Amino acid sequence: MSLTFAVGGDHAGFDYKNDLIDFLSERGITVKDYGTFSADSVDYPDFAHPVASAVENGEQRFGLLLCGSANGVAITANKHQGIRAGLAWNVEVAKLVRQHNDANIICLPVRFISLEEAKACLAAFIETPFEGGRHQGRVGKISCS
C-alpha cells in the first residue's frame, strides 16, 4: 500500500508547501494539495479542516499542515474524531508524535524552523512507526466518543 498525504496550510506556510510536496512526491508518496495556493492572507481553519477530514474519512493516510506557529492548524485538526495532529519543531519531536502518539497529521511551525528542518521532521514522521505497547492504551483514551 502506498502512502498518501493531504497537505495544506495558511499563507505563512505557503513558501514551504510546494517544496514539501516535492519532497513527499520524490519518495513515491501520493499528495493531494488542499491549499492555500498563494501567499495572500487566509484563515488557517479553511485549510486545516479539509486536510483533517481527508485523513478522518480515510481518503488520505496522513496529513501535513503548515502555518506560522502550527498551533492553530493543530487545534483545528484535533477537533476531528480520529485525528491526532502533532506539532513538531525538531526531528526528535517528529519521531515522538508518531512513536508515542500515533499522530496521523504533522503540523510544522514554519516561522520557527528552516525548510531543511521541516524536511527532516517530515522524513522522521514518515519513517517512524507507532510503537504500540504501553502507548496503545493511552492513544485509545484520546477520543471523546
Side-chain angles (χ1 to χ4, degrees):
M1 182 172 96
S2 66
L3 280 182
T4 59
F5 260 81
V7 176
D10 69 1
H11 52 282
F14 178 72
D15 287 341
Y16 283 21
K17 186 172 62 101
N18 288 334
D19 287 326
L20 294 174
I21 287 172
D22 290 344
F23 180 82
L24 291 168
S25 296
E26 289 165 4
R27 283 153 182 75
I29 297 169
T30 303
V31 177
K32 182 164 182 187
D33 185 352
Y34 288 85
T36 188
F37 300 103
S38 79
D40 295 340
S41 183
V42 295
D43 298 332
Y44 60 81
D46 295 341
F47 304 94
H49 281 303
V51 167
S53 291
V55 176
E56 180 181 30
N57 70 28
E59 180 184 333
Q60 305 293 326
R61 173 69 179 93
F62 291 109
L64 165 62
L65 287 168
L66 307 163
C67 81
S69 72
N71 282 300
V73 293
I75 291 167
T76 303
N78 279 316
K79 298 295 183 191
H80 292 255
Q81 288 299 314
I83 295 302
R84 293 170 305 281
L87 194 156
W89 57 91
N90 65 36
V91 169
E92 183 176 2
V93 173
K95 286 180 181 178
L96 287 173
V97 299
R98 282 289 304 131
Q99 198 172 47
H100 291 188
N101 308 119
D102 197 19
N104 47 17
I105 297 178
I106 184 171
C107 304
L108 299 177
V110 300
R111 289 189 177 141
F112 298 93
I113 62 175
S114 68
L115 178 59
E116 290 310 309
E117 186 73 17
K119 288 178 182 178
C121 288
L122 190 51
F125 182 84
I126 293 164
E127 295 164 6
T128 303
F130 176 50
E131 193 173 276
R134 71 185 198 278
H135 304 292
Q136 184 63 58
R138 296 168 185 157
V139 169
K141 292 179 178 182
I142 292 173
S143 179
C144 290
S145 61

